[in-house]
Amino acid sequence: MSILIKPIITEKATKDSELLNRYAFVVNLKANKIEIKEAVEATYGVSVEKVRTMVYPVKRSTKYTKKGIVQSKISAYKKAIIEVAEGENIDFYSNI
């Protein structure tokens, strides 16, 4: 089971990473905080101080088009905010 799916790189997440040492990740829905902490420490080699998680529900939308009613769905996902120790950072762009 892959715990870390992908990092979230938005303006808000970038600002948090620069100012507050917080990084955002999309994680597996079934992963708990302890598993997320261990996965981040093993993958990036940093010491994690705090993990916060949020579960976003499924979003459904209906559009009325020429072809009729079109329904769409955005899957549910879990987001984790990781706070690393002072003086440490995670470089997402080192492999490019």
Side-chain angles (χ1 to χ4, degrees):
M1 171 172 93
S2 177
I3 295 172
L4 298 177
I5 297 173
K6 65 179 180 178
I8 298 174
I9 303 173
T10 59
E11 289 181 22
K12 185 175 181 179
T14 304
K15 184 182 83 168
D16 279 352
S17 68
E18 291 171 354
L19 300 176
L20 303 171
N21 279 347
R22 292 184 193 150
Y23 298 90
F25 293 91
V26 175
V27 297
N28 191 328
L29 275 169
K30 295 183 180 182
N32 60 28
K33 292 182 180 185
I34 297 167
E35 293 172 341
I36 295 168
K37 179 180 178 179
E38 291 172 355
V40 170
E41 288 176 345
T43 305
Y44 295 104
V46 295
S47 58
V48 175
E49 289 185 350
K50 192 182 290 187
V51 178
R52 294 181 218 157
T53 59
M54 308 157 231
V55 177
Y56 286 88
V58 174
K59 289 186 180 179
R60 299 178 192 275
S61 66
T62 304
K63 298 176 186 174
Y64 299 97
T65 63
K66 291 179 183 179
K67 296 180 180 180
I69 298 174
V70 177
Q71 295 180 343
S72 63
K73 179 180 96 167
I74 298 174
S75 299
Y77 64 97
K78 188 173 196 175
K79 182 166 105 173
I81 306 295
I82 310 296
E83 189 169 333
V84 299
E86 190 68 34
E88 296 185 358
N89 62 352
I90 297 173
D91 188 15
F92 295 126
Y93 303 109
S94 63
N95 296 334
I96 297 178

